[in-house]
C-alpha cells in the first residue's frame, strides 16, 4: 500500500485487497498519515481486486473521520475495478462517496 | 450526440413498486422505463447516453448493459443523490454547445414517459396507473414487433393466447407470452405485462398486472397494481401481500412446498403398483391366513401450504402391518398414484409427532412434500423420528433438487426390490454413503 | 466436483482459503464475474464464522465445502458460533454504519441461502446458479491433435450451420422487402403473390405451391396463384363448408392449423393436391388475419424424401402472414376507392335532384306559397311541385316515393315530368291520379315500389280547393274563422299498388285567413333523441296558433322549420321531409279578436 500527500490531497494507492485481514491495518495507516492541511482524500482502487464487507467498513470509518476532519473533507474513490464497483453499488455506498472513473 | 438520463431516487409514494427494483427498471408495457427512454433518445439521434443513478445503479446497469441494443453507448454512473437536470448539465455537459441533443432531451429526469412530460408518474400510485394508461397508444408504435391492435384500443403481443370465450374490453394491453383462460373479462383499463398467466373466469379491470404473475381462477382485480403476490390499490393507496398462491403468485420463483408429484411420477406409481401386485397381495394373504389384520390406517399431517381439496390438514394412508421391511409401505404407492405423496419427500408425520417438532429448524420437516422415500431412509436411520432423521428431513426441505431426488429414489428402490425379493441378508446401512460424497466420487 | 477445506479460526486465514477456492472454481471454468461473486460471498461467510465464534471453540477449525456442477456452485460453511436467525428480508444498515453488510452481500450475490442452527455447529448453505455456460464449450483438459482436429471440424460445422441459418433469414427478409417495394408500384395482388411465393419456394427448396384465397362474397377457396403459371385454372375452387372434405387444404382451413402431408400419411386420391402434384410431401398453412380466414397456402416438394425443417416452416409462416396483411390491405384500398366513387356519383345525383325542384313558386294575389325540402340521404324520394293553370288557379303536388336513395329519386324524377305532361288531359285531381297510376303501375310493381301522392287544385276565384290523394298524409287546413284545424283526409290507394285504382275528389271552401299544409310523413315521423315522434297533433297545434295573425307563407315556413329543428336537435334525420304551405296573406283578422287589438292601440 502506498500513501502519499499530493499538495493538500492525501492519495492512497496500490492496495491489492481490502478484507477482514488488513482492514484494520489500512484504517490505522491512513489515519496516522492524515495531515492537518487536508482538502481531499483520494483512494485509488485501480489495483484493488478484492474488497469485502470489512473493507467497506474501513472505508466508511475513513469517511467518518474525514467528515470530522477540518470541517469535512471529501473522500473520493478512484477507478474501481468492475467487481469492486458492483460491490460498492450493491451496498449503496455510492451515496456516500464520490466515485470517479477515468 | 450525447444525452443524460437521471434516475428518480427515493420516491416514497411508489414504495411498494420500488422495493424490489429501482424505478427505471419498473416494467411499463413490455419494456422497462429506462428502455423506453433509451429507445426515445436513440430515435432522437443520441449516440452516447449516461444514466445517472443514485438508487441501485448495479441493477440498472445489469438491465441496460452497454446499450448496444439501441445502437447506443450507455454508461450507468453511480451518483450520491438525484441530480436535477440543471445540476446534471452543469456537471457533465459544462459549456459544451454542440455534440449534445437539444433541450430538454439532453438531460431528462425519468419521472415521466417519453412524450408525456405533463404526467408525473411518481406522484402517487394513481398517477403511475394513469400514466401507463395514457401511454398505451404511444407504446404501441409500429416497431414493436408482433404487437397487434386486435380492435381499437386492444393491443396483444407476440405468442399470447387468449381463450375464445374471453371478453376483451378496450382499452387493454396484453404483453408477450400472456395466457388468458376461458370466460375472463379483461379491461377496460387492464394492462397485463409479459408472461402473465390468468386462469379462467377472472375479471381484471383498471389494473396493471406485473410480469411473471399468476392470477388464479375466479379472481377479480380492480383498481390494482398486482405483481407477484404484492397487491397495491392505486385508488386507495393501500398495499398488501396476498398469502394464497392460488389467488395470485409470482411465476418467476417457485417455493419448494409447491412441488407436487408430476403426472409422469403418478403414472410410474400406477405401473409400480401393478408390477409389485403379487408381493403385496402375498403379504396381505399371509397376514389374513395367520388371522391378523393386514392393512393399518395411519393419519398423517399434510405439508404446509398443501391443504386437501376441502381444506383438510391431514391425510390417511395405509401400512401393511406385518410385511417385512420396505414392503410395509407398499399401499402408499396408491397415495403417490393419487398425487397425495411424491416419490421422494419427507415421510409423513402423525399429528402428535408434528407437535413434538421443537423449533423452526425441525419444523422444516413439514415444508417438503410427503414422500414415499425420504433422505433419512437412504441414510439408514433406524429411528424414523430421531434427531438424525429430523436433521435429514430439514436438510431435504431446504436442499431438495433433482439430483438428490434421483439418488434417493435409486437407493430406495434398490433396497425395496431386494426386500421384496426376499434377500435380506445385507444390511442397508453398509451400502449408504452421503449423497454429496457420492457425487464427488463420480 | 467437491472441494473440502478447513482453516484455522482466524481472520488472516480467511483470504488464503478464499483464494484456494477461487483457484478451484477457476479450474472448473467458472466465469470470472461469478468467481468474483463466489469469492466475496465466501469471504463474508468465513469472516462471520471467525468473528463470532464461541471463545471456547476457537481452537476448532472452520470447515468449508464447495460443490461445483455444470449448472450450480454450492458452499457449505460450518461455524461454531452461537448462531443467529437469518433475517428475512436482509436489509442494509444505515449508510454510515461500518458493519453489518456481510449478510446483505451474501444474499445479493447468491441465488439461494439457507442457515440452519445446530446445537454445536451451524451450517450455512449458499448456492449460485451458473449463468455463463462458456465452460461447456472449452473443456480445460489438454487434447491430442486428433481430438483438436475433430473439435475444430465440429466448430466449423456449427459455424457453417449458423451461417446457413443467417443467410436463410436475410434471404427471406430481402425477399419480403423486394416484394413490398414491387407492391408499391403495382396494385396487382395476384402477380405480387406469384412473385413472392416464387421467391419462397426458392428459399425453402420447395418445388411447387398453391395459394388459395377466400374471395369476398363466397365461402370458396379460389386458387389465386400457383407455381405452374399457365395451369392456374387447374386447381379447382373448393367450398370451405364441406363436411369431411377430401382436400387437406379445406381441413387445414377448418381446423385453423398447419397440416403436413407426405409419403405417410399420404393424401387421399381425391385430394386436389394429389391430382395437381402426385406423391409429393409438404405442408398446408391456413392464412388468418385476426380471426378471419384469408386463404390457404400449400407448399411442397415433388421429391418426397425430406420434409421441411423447422426454420423453413417458420419462413413459410412469415411469408404467409406477410401475404395476409398485403391481401387485407389491398382489399381495404379497393373498398375505399369504390366508396369514394359511389359518394362522388351520389353528389352528382343530389345536384340533379335539387335542380328538378321548382326554382320559384308562382305569385298569387292575396296568397303566398312556400315549400320546404330536406332529404335524409344524398338523394331522396320526396318531391313537390306547383303548376299554374291560370292566374288564379293552380295545382299543388306533393309525393313520396316509398323507399330511399337512388331508386326513389329516379321515380321522383319520372313523376315530376309525368305530371305536366298529363295535366292538359284531365280536369280533376282524381282523374290525374288515375292517369298517373295507369302510366306508372307497370314500372312500379316490377320493382315492388309505390308512390303516395297528394294533388290539390286550388281555385282562388271561387275560394275553394279540390283534393285527391293516393295513400298520402292528410291535408291540414286552418282558418281564422274556426277553432279547430281541419284534417282533410283523401282516400285512395298509393300509386303502383292496384292497376285500376279509382280516386275521389274532395272539395273544401277556403275560409278567411286560411292556411293549407301539404306534407310528407317524414315530417310527422321526425324523431328526437329520446325516440319521441314529432307527430300530427304537434303539427296541428302549431298550425292552429298561426291563424289569426299576420304572417307571410315564407315566415310561416321558417317558423315550422325552426320548430322542427328545435324538436330534432342532434338526432339523425330518418326520412326525407317535405312540405308545401299555402297561406292567405291578405289582412283578415279573427273578428272575435279585433276588439282586443283595437283596445290595445292608444286612441
Amino acid at each position: 500500500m502506498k500513501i502519499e500527500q499530493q499538495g493538500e490531497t492525501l492519495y492512497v494507492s496500490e492496495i491489492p485487497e481490502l478484507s477482514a485481514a488488513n482492514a484494520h491495518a489500512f484504517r490505522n495507516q491512513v489515519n496516522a498519515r492524515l495531515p492537518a492541511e487536508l482538502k481531499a482524500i483520494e483512494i485509488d482502487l485501480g489495483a484493488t481486486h478484492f474488497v469485502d464487507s470489512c473493507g467497506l467498513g474501513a472505508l466508511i470509518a475513513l469517511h467518518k473521520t474525514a467528515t470530522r476532519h477540518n470541517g469535512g473533507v471529501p473522500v473520493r474513490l478512484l477507478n474501481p475495478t468492475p467487481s469492486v464497483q458492483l460491490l460498492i453499488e450493491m451496498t449503496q455506498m455510492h451515496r456516500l462517496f464520490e466515485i470517479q472513473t477515468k | 450526440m450525447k444525452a443524460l438520463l437521471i434516475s428518480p431516487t427515493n420516491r416514497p409514494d411508489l414504495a411498494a413498486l420500488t422495493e424490489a427494483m429501482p424505478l427505471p427498471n419498473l416494467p411499463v408495457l413490455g419494456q422497462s422505463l429506462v428502455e423506453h427512454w433509451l429507445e426515445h433518445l436513440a430515435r432522437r439521434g443520441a449516440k452516447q447516453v449516461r444514466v445517472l443513478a443514485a438508487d441501485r445503479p448495479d441493477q440498472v446497469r445489469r438491465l441496460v448493459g452497454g446499450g448496444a441494443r439501441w445502437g447506443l453507448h450507455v454508461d450507468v454512473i453511480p451518483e450520491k443523490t438525484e441530480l436535477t437536470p440543471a445540476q446534471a448539465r452543469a456537471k457533465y455537459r459544462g459549456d459544451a454547445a454542440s455534440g449534445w441533443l437539444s433541450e430538454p432531451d439532453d438531460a431528462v429526469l425519468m419521472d415521466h414517459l417519453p412524450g408525456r412530460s405533463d404526467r408525473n408518474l411518481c406522484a402517487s400510485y394513481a398517477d403511475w396507473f394513469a400514466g401507463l394508461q395514457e401511454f398505451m397508444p404511444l407504446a404501441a408504435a409500429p416497431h414493436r414487433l408482433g404487437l397487434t391492435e386486435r380492435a381499437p384500443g386492444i393491443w396483444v403481443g407476440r405468442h399470447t393466447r387468449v381463450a375464445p370465450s374471453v371478453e376483451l374490453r378496450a382499452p387493454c394491453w396484453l404483453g408477450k407470452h400472456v395466457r388468458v383462460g376461458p370466460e375472463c373479462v379483461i379491461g377496460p383499463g387492464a394492462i397485463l405485462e409479459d408472461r402473465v398467466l390468468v386462469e379462467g373466469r377472472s375479471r381484471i379491470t383498471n389494473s396493471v398486472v406485473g410480469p411473471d404473475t399468476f392470477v388464479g381462477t375466479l379472481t377479480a382485480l380492480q383498481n390494482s397494481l398486482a405483481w407477484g403476490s404484492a397487491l397495491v390499490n392505486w385508488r386507495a393507496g393501500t398495499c398488501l401481500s396476498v398469502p394464497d398462491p392460488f389467488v395470485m403468485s409470482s411465476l418467476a420463483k417457485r417455493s419448494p412446498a409447491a412441488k407436487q408429484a408430476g403426472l409422469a411420477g403418478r403414472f410410474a406409481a400406477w405401473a409400480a403398483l401393478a408390477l409389485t401386485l403379487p408381493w403385496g397381495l402375498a403379504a396381505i394373504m399371509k397376514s389374513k391366513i395367520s388371522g391378523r389384520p393386514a392393512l393399518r390406517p395411519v393419519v398423517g399431517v399434510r405439508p404446509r401450504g398443501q391443504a386437501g381439496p376441502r381444506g383438510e390438514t391431514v391425510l390417511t394412508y395405509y401400512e401393511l402391518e406385518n410385511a417385512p421391511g420396505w414392503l410395509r409401505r407398499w399401499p402408499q404407492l396408491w397415495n403417490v398414484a393419487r398425487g397425495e405423496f411424491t416419490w421422494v419427500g419427507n415421510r409423513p408425520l402423525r399429528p402428535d409427532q408434528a407437535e413434538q417438532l421443537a423449533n423452526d429448524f425441525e419444523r422444516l420437516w413439514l415444508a417438503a412434500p410427503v414422500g414415499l422415500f425420504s433422505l433419512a431412509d437412504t441414510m439408514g436411520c433406524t429411528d424414523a423420528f430421531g434427531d438424525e432423521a429430523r436433521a435429514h428431513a430439514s436438510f431435504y426441505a431446504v436442499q431438495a433438487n433433482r439430483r438428490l431426488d434421483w439418488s434417493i429414489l435409486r437407493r430406495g428402490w434398490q433396497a425395496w426390490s431386494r426386500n421384496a425379493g426376499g434377500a435380506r441378508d445385507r444390511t442397508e446401512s453398509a451400502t449408504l454413503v452421503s449423497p454429496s460424497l457420492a457425487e464427488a466420487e463420480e | 466436483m467437491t472441494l473440502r477445506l478447513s482453516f484455522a479460526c482466524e481472520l488472516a486465514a480467511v483470504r488464503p482459503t478464499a483464494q484456494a477456492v477461487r483457484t478451484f472454481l477457476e479450474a472448473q471454468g467458472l466465469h470470472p464475474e461469478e468467481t468474483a461473486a463466489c469469492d466475496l460471498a465466501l469471504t463474508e461467510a468465513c469472516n462471520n464464522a471467525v468473528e463470532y465464534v464461541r471463545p471456547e471453540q476457537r481452537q476448532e477449525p472452520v470447515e468449508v465445502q464447495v460443490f461445483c456442477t455444470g449448472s450450480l456452485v454450492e458452499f457449505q460453511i460450518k461455524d461454531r458460533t452461537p448462531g443467529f436467525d437469518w433475517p428475512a428480508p436482509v436489509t442494509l444498515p444505515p449508510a454510515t454504519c461500518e458493519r453489518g453488510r456481510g449478510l446483505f452481500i451474501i444474499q445479493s450475490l447468491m441465488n439461494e441461502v439457507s442457515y440452519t442452527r445446530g446445537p454445536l455447529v451451524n451450517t450455512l448453505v449458499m448456492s449460485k446458479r451458473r449463468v455463463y455456460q462458456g465452460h461447456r464449450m472449452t473443456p480445460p483438459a489438454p487434447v491430442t491433435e486428433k481430438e483438436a482436429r475433430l473439435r475444430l471440424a465440429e466448430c466449423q460445422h456449427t459455424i457453417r450451420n449458423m451461417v446457413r441459418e443467417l443467410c436463410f433469414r436475410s434471404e427471406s427478409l430481402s425477399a419480403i422487402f423486394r416484394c413490398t417495394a414491387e407492391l408499391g408500384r403495382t396494385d396487382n395482388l395476384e402477380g405480387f403473390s406469384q412473385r413472392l411465393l416464387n421467391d419462397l419456394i426458392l428459399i425453402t427448396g420447395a418445388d411447387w405451391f398453391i395459394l388459395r384465397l377466400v374471395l369476398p362474397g363466397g365461402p370458396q377457396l379460389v386458387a389465386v396463384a400457383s407455381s405452374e403459371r399457365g395451369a392456374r385454372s387447374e386447381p379447382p375452387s373448393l367450398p370451405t363448408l364441406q363436411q369431411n372434405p377430401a382436400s387437406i387444404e379445406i381441413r387445414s382451413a377448418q381446423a385453423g392449423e398447419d397440416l403436413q402431408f407426405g409419403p405417410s400419411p399420404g393424401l387421399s386420391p381425391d385430394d386436389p393436391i394429389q391430382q395437381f402434384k402426385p406423391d409429393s410431401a409438404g405442408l398446408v398453412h391456413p392464412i388468418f388475419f385476426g380471426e378471419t380466414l384469408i386463404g390457404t397456402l400449400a407448399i411442397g416438394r415433388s421429391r418426397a424424401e425430406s420434409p421441411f425443417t423447422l426454420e423453413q416452416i417458420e419462413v413459410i409462416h412469415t411469408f404467409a402472414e406477410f401475404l395476409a396483411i398485403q391481401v387485407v390491405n389491398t382489399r381495404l384500398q379497393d373498398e375505399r376507392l369504390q366508396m369514394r366513387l359511389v359518394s362522388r356519383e351520389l353528389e352528382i345525383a343530389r345536384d340533379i335532384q335539387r335542380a328538378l325542384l321548382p326554382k320559384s313558386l308562382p305569385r298569387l294575389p292575396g296568397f303566398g306559397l312556400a315549400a320546404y325540402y330536406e332529404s335524409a340521404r344524398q338523394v331522396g324520394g320526396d318531391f313537390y311541385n306547383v303548376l299554374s293553370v291560370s292566374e288564379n288557379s293552380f295545382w299543388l303536388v306533393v309525393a313520396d316515393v316509398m323507399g330511399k336513395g337512388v331508386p326513389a329519386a329516379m321515380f321522383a324524377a319520372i313523376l315530376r315530368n309525368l305530371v305536366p305532361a298529363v295535366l292538359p288531359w284531365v280536369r280533376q285531381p282524381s282523374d290525374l291520379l288515375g292517369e298517373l297510376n295507369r302510366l306508372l303501375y307497370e314500372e312500379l310493381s316490377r320493382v315492388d315500389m309505390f308512390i303516395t301522392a297528394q294533388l290539390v287544385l286550388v281555385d282562388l276565384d271561387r275560394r275553394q280547393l279540390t283534393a285527391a290523394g293516393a295513400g298520402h298524409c292528410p291535408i291540414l287546413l286552418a282558418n281564422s274563422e274556426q277553432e279547430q284545424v281541419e284534417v282533410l283526409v283523401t282516400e285512395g290507394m298509393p300509386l303502383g299498388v292496384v292497376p285500376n285504382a279509382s280516386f275521389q275528389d274532395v272539395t273544401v271552401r277556403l275560409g278567411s285567413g286560411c292556411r293549407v299544409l301539404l306534407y310528407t310523413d317524414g315530417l310527422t315521423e321526425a324523431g328526437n333523441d329520446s325516440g319521441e315522434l314529432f307527430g300530427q297533433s304537434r303539427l296541428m297545434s302549431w298550425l292552429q296558433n298561426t291563424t289569426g295573425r299576420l304572417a307571410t307563407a315564407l315566415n310561416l315556413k321558417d317558423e315550422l322549420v325552426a320548430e322542427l329543428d328545435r324538436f330534432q336537435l342532434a338526432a339523425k334525420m330518418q326520412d326525407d321531409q317535405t312540405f308545401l304551405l299555402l297561406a292567405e296573406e291578405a289582412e283578415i283578422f279573427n273578428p272575435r279578436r279585433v276588439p282586443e287589438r283595437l283596445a290595445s292601440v292608444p286612441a
Side-chain angles (χ1 to χ4, degrees):
Chain A
M1 189 167 75
K2 206 164 103 185
I3 305 177
E4 55 194 340
Q5 197 171 348
Q6 299 177 341
E8 290 173 329
T9 305
L10 192 71
Y11 184 76
V12 186
S13 61
E14 292 175 28
I15 316 161
E17 59 177 45
L18 203 51
S19 66
N22 66 349
H24 259 281
F26 168 82
R27 203 156 149 186
N28 295 339
Q29 284 180 38
V30 175
N31 274 347
R33 294 284 301 272
L34 281 185
E37 300 294 312
L38 188 64
K39 283 280 163 62
I41 303 177
E42 286 184 347
I43 296 171
D44 193 333
L45 297 172
T48 313
H49 292 286
F50 186 85
V51 176
D52 67 5
S53 67
C54 297
L56 291 182
L59 289 176
I60 290 169
L62 180 63
H63 179 266
K64 276 191 196 163
T65 318
T67 13
R68 282 196 298 271
H69 201 85
N70 280 354
V73 172
V75 181
R76 285 189 210 109
L77 305 181
L78 308 186
N79 312 318
T81 52
S83 61
V84 174
Q85 176 153 17
L86 178 75
L87 176 73
I88 290 172
E89 289 172 5
M90 210 168 67
T91 52
Q92 305 276 311
M93 297 255 302
H94 61 277
R95 312 287 291 267
L96 223 54
F97 296 94
E98 207 164 301
I99 293 157
Q100 287 181 356
T101 310
K102 274 177 198 127
Chain B
M1 289 298 211
K2 296 179 187 175
L4 298 169
L5 281 177
I6 305 161
S7 154
T9 303
N10 195 13
R11 294 288 192 274
D13 297 314
L14 295 182
L17 296 179
T18 56
E19 199 174 336
M21 56 179 67
L23 213 133
N25 289 24
L26 288 178
V28 175
L29 302 167
Q31 286 185 345
S32 63
L33 180 61
V34 67
E35 284 173 305
H36 280 296
W37 273 108
L38 289 171
E39 207 176 87
H40 171 79
L41 293 180
R43 269 204 301 273
R44 287 291 159 95
K47 287 282 167 248
Q48 198 181 348
V49 179
R50 286 182 178 151
V51 182
L52 311 181
D55 185 16
R56 287 163 280 186
D58 52 319
Q59 293 194 23
V60 181
R61 186 178 301 120
R62 210 178 303 151
L63 184 79
V64 302
R69 268 178 284 170
W70 301 277
L72 296 172
H73 183 84
V74 178
D75 280 315
V76 179
I77 297 176
E79 285 288 336
K80 275 188 180 183
T81 52
E82 176 187 328
L83 304 179
T84 62
Q87 286 168 333
R89 275 184 204 114
K91 185 167 174 183
Y92 291 96
R93 179 172 177 171
D95 299 329
S98 64
W100 286 75
L101 288 186
S102 59
E103 283 190 35
D105 284 324
D106 64 332
V108 179
L109 175 62
M110 290 185 281
D111 62 355
H112 59 279
L113 281 158
R116 299 304 313 235
S117 55
D118 50 328
R119 167 70 71 182
N120 182 356
L121 288 175
C122 309
S124 67
Y125 295 120
D127 280 301
W128 178 265
F129 175 78
L132 260 57
Q133 291 289 326
E134 291 162 7
F135 196 60
M136 257 194 251
L138 292 178
H143 66 272
R144 293 289 284 267
L145 271 181
L147 183 73
T148 51
E149 187 166 7
R150 273 204 191 168
I154 297 177
W155 290 277
V156 177
R158 247 184 312 155
H159 303 300
T160 283
R161 295 232 170 120
V162 179
S165 54
V166 169
E167 192 179 330
L168 296 178
R169 296 180 179 164
C172 69
W173 173 287
L174 282 70
K176 283 178 277 188
H177 296 279
V178 173
R179 294 274 183 283
V180 182
E183 292 172 48
C184 288
V185 180
I186 307 292
I191 296 174
L192 309 187
E193 292 283 359
D194 298 348
R195 300 176 301 283
V196 166
L197 174 65
V198 182
E199 278 200 324
R201 287 181 282 161
S202 297
R203 293 177 70 94
I204 300 178
T205 48
N206 286 323
S207 296
V208 180
V209 182
D212 299 294
T213 301
F214 165 82
V215 179
T217 185
L218 283 170
T219 306
L221 283 181
Q222 215 174 359
N223 304 336
S224 302
L225 308 174
W227 195 358
S229 57
L231 192 63
V232 174
N233 183 321
W234 55 261
R235 186 157 281 169
T238 52
C239 316
L240 64 104
S241 166
V242 179
D244 185 350
F246 292 100
V247 172
M248 245 179 68
S249 56
S250 170
L251 295 171
K253 279 186 208 155
R254 301 204 63 176
S255 63
K259 188 183 127 190
Q260 279 185 328
L263 216 52
R266 289 171 64 174
F267 276 119
W270 280 110
L273 203 58
L275 280 175
T276 55
L277 200 63
W279 287 281
L281 288 181
I284 293 176
M285 291 305 285
K286 216 165 129 188
S287 53
K288 285 277 182 206
I289 289 166
S290 55
R292 285 176 295 186
L295 289 171
R296 186 168 71 95
V298 190
V299 173
V301 179
R302 285 177 185 266
R304 252 185 270 153
Q306 277 192 28
R310 283 179 297 280
E312 316 93 311
T313 53
V314 291
L315 51 81
T316 310
Y317 62 97
Y318 291 89
E319 270 181 3
L320 276 181
E321 197 163 25
N322 301 303
W326 293 82
L327 207 50
R328 290 169 76 95
R329 291 186 196 165
W330 179 75
Q332 291 158 30
L333 272 174
W334 166 247
N335 297 75
V336 180
R338 285 183 45 162
E340 289 172 324
F341 280 25
T342 55
W343 276 96
V344 180
N346 285 339
R347 291 294 302 157
L349 291 181
R350 293 192 309 272
D352 62 306
Q353 285 175 321
E355 288 293 323
Q356 286 173 41
L357 295 173
N359 49 32
D360 279 349
F361 173 69
E362 288 189 356
R363 276 191 283 276
L364 278 176
W365 188 307
L366 297 175
V370 177
L372 188 61
F373 299 114
S374 73
L375 179 60
D377 293 333
T378 55
M379 297 302 234
C381 294
T382 43
D383 182 358
F385 192 59
D387 278 343
E388 213 182 333
R390 292 186 207 187
H392 287 312
S394 302
F395 177 81
Y396 181 80
V398 178
Q399 282 304 310
N401 60 47
R402 200 164 287 246
R403 256 180 116 93
L404 189 59
D405 283 356
W406 275 115
S407 97
I408 293 173
L409 196 60
R410 205 174 59 223
R411 284 156 209 279
W413 192 251
Q414 274 169 6
W416 201 2
S417 52
R418 264 201 309 279
N419 262 328
R424 263 177 290 152
D425 46 347
R426 272 188 288 172
T427 55
E428 285 161 23
S429 53
T431 61
L432 284 163
V433 194
S434 101
S436 56
L437 270 180
E439 303 310 335
E441 284 160 9
E442 284 166 14
Chain C
M1 293 282 270
T2 307
L3 172 73
R4 285 179 187 187
L5 289 169
S6 60
F7 62 93
C9 189
E10 52 192 58
L11 282 179
V14 170
R15 283 306 296 154
T17 309
Q19 276 298 347
V21 171
R22 189 179 188 131
T23 318
F24 166 74
L25 291 178
E26 274 165 1
Q28 302 297 316
L30 205 68
H31 190 267
E33 219 170 86
E34 290 169 341
T35 313
C38 289
D39 187 6
L40 182 53
L42 182 67
T43 306
E44 293 298 339
C46 292
N47 282 347
N48 284 347
V50 171
E51 275 185 65
Y52 300 105
V53 71
R54 291 193 196 93
E56 67 273 16
Q57 284 171 318
R58 200 167 273 284
Q59 277 69 42
E60 301 282 338
V62 180
E63 288 169 42
V64 177
Q65 191 170 327
V66 190
F67 172 72
C68 179
T69 69
S71 56
L72 191 87
V73 187
E74 186 178 292
F75 299 92
Q76 286 185 24
I77 299 108
K78 296 212 159 87
D79 67 66
R80 290 163 196 280
T81 64
F84 61 97
D85 285 326
W86 191 273
V90 183
T91 49
L92 265 184
T96 50
C97 188
E98 288 167 39
R99 306 178 61 90
R101 284 185 178 73
L103 298 188
F104 179 82
I105 291 174
I106 292 174
Q107 187 88 58
S108 309
L109 293 173
M110 292 286 138
N111 295 106
E112 304 241 337
V113 183
S114 73
Y115 187 69
T116 42
R117 296 172 71 171
L120 277 176
V121 180
N122 311 306
T123 311
L124 171 69
V125 181
M126 50 190 199
S127 59
K128 185 168 184 63
R129 277 195 296 279
R130 296 176 68 171
V131 178
Y132 299 95
Q133 292 289 322
H135 60 287
R136 300 210 160 163
M137 312 277 275
T138 52
V143 288
T144 63
E145 194 189 323
K146 197 179 153 201
E147 273 175 349
R149 275 180 201 289
L150 265 176
R151 213 162 281 158
L152 185 67
E154 229 171 72
C155 290
Q156 280 172 341
H157 180 70
T158 314
I159 292 175
R160 256 202 311 280
N161 276 349
M162 284 161 75
V163 167
R164 217 196 55 203
E165 191 180 337
L166 206 63
C167 293
F168 204 61
R169 295 198 183 261
S170 74
E171 191 70 20
S172 26
L173 205 60
S174 72
I176 285 180
F177 277 129
R178 197 165 57 241
C179 294
T180 318
E182 261 175 51
L183 187 68
R185 287 197 292 273
T186 147
D187 54 356
N188 176 3
L189 188 65
E190 290 175 22
F192 164 72
S193 33
Q194 185 79 41
R195 279 190 297 276
L196 184 76
L197 295 175
N198 276 337
D199 279 346
L200 177 63
I201 59 174
L202 278 184
I203 291 169
T204 53
D207 294 322
W208 57 265
F209 69 84
I210 308 171
L211 172 72
R212 293 174 189 277
L213 295 179
V214 181
L215 295 187
Q220 282 210 321
L221 283 168
V222 180
V224 168
S226 89
S227 43
E228 248 83 328
R229 242 209 135 116
R232 261 264 311 282
S233 56
E234 196 188 8
S237 302
L238 300 169
T240 53
L241 299 172
Q242 202 177 340
Q243 290 282 320
N244 300 325
S247 161
I248 189 171
E249 291 162 281
I250 297 180
R251 284 203 304 277
S252 161
Q254 287 174 347
E257 60 185 25
D258 282 13
L259 293 179
Q260 300 212 7
F261 56 90
S264 61
L267 294 169
S268 83
D270 301 338
D271 196 303
I273 291 182
Q274 182 70 9
Q275 289 157 10
F276 177 65
K277 287 279 172 187
D279 297 323
S280 50
L283 168 87
V284 179
H285 174 65
I287 309 171
F288 280 89
F289 185 80
E291 307 287 312
T292 43
L293 180 71
I294 302 285
T296 58
L297 172 64
I299 181 161
R301 291 177 178 153
S302 304
R303 9 167 254 292
E305 72 275 19
S306 54
F308 291 114
T309 64
L310 281 178
E311 300 155 11
Q312 288 167 337
I313 291 177
E314 207 176 298
V315 170
I316 292 171
H317 286 181
T318 312
F319 269 66
E321 253 163 58
F322 174 69
L323 196 60
I325 294 171
Q326 296 308 332
V327 169
V328 170
N329 279 352
T330 316
R331 286 186 184 163
L332 280 180
Q333 227 164 1
D334 283 354
E335 255 170 48
R336 230 172 283 150
L337 195 68
Q338 279 297 318
M339 292 238 301
R340 224 177 295 154
L341 280 179
V342 167
S343 70
R344 176 77 198 115
E345 279 166 11
L346 278 177
E347 259 168 51
I348 296 171
R350 174 194 167 95
D351 291 347
I352 293 174
Q353 204 182 23
R354 291 266 166 192
L356 289 179
L357 294 174
K359 281 175 200 65
S360 63
L361 299 175
R363 293 171 163 277
L364 306 166
F367 282 83
L369 272 169
Y372 171 75
Y373 170 86
E374 192 60 54
S375 144
R377 297 198 193 175
Q378 265 147 327
V379 289
D382 277 12
F383 155 72
Y384 71 87
N385 207 352
V386 179
L387 299 160
S388 295
V389 180
S390 64
E391 198 178 323
N392 282 333
S393 80
F394 52 93
W395 290 84
L396 302 177
V397 182
V398 170
D400 182 0
V401 184
M402 283 301 142
K404 283 175 228 140
V406 175
M410 285 175 71
F411 273 105
I414 293 172
L415 192 64
R416 181 204 183 262
N417 291 331
L418 212 51
V419 174
V422 179
L423 217 50
W425 315 100
V426 297
R427 306 206 38 197
Q428 295 294 324
S430 56
D431 298 344
L432 179 53
L433 279 175
E435 198 65 10
L436 288 174
N437 186 46
R438 199 176 56 77
L439 291 168
L440 286 171
Y441 172 75
E442 203 126 308
E443 281 81 2
L444 282 169
S445 58
R446 200 177 305 149
V447 289
D448 272 341
M449 290 174 75
F450 59 90
I451 301 172
T452 68
Q454 189 69 267
L455 299 186
V456 176
L457 176 60
V458 185
D459 190 337
L460 292 182
D461 285 341
R462 295 198 212 155
R463 286 194 76 87
Q464 71 171 35
L465 61 77
T466 311
H472 201 78
C473 305
I475 303 169
L476 299 185
L477 288 160
N479 56 45
S480 45
E481 293 163 15
Q482 61 197 56
E483 290 283 332
Q484 288 297 316
V485 171
E486 187 180 347
V487 180
L488 186 63
V489 180
T490 50
E491 277 168 13
M493 295 293 276
L495 304 182
V497 176
V498 285
N500 296 311
S502 62
F503 301 91
Q504 271 138 34
D505 288 319
V506 184
T507 304
V508 186
R509 202 186 67 83
L510 291 175
S512 59
C514 71
R515 279 86 171 92
V516 178
L517 182 68
L518 284 78
Y519 60 94
T520 61
D521 54 6
L523 203 64
T524 46
E525 282 161 22
N528 64 6
D529 278 338
S530 46
E532 213 181 332
L533 297 183
F534 190 71
Q536 199 180 3
S537 58
R538 220 181 288 257
L539 202 58
M540 281 162 67
S541 65
W542 170 79
L543 196 63
Q544 177 65 43
N545 288 340
T546 62
T547 57
R549 62 193 162 92
L550 202 56
T552 64
L554 278 174
N555 289 346
L556 291 174
K557 179 195 102 171
D558 291 343
E559 258 179 54
L560 182 55
V561 171
E563 189 88 359
L564 259 179
D565 285 348
R566 224 179 0 261
F567 179 77
Q568 295 185 104
L569 283 175
K572 192 179 179 305
M573 243 172 95
Q574 291 301 320
D575 199 0
D576 305 344
Q577 297 173 351
T578 304
F579 66 83
L580 196 54
L581 188 77
L582 172 72
E584 184 159 23
E585 292 174 349
E587 204 158 322
I588 296 172
F589 289 99
N590 184 337
R592 275 172 294 157
R593 288 192 187 169
V594 173
E596 289 169 40
R597 290 230 161 203
L598 287 177
S600 67
V601 178

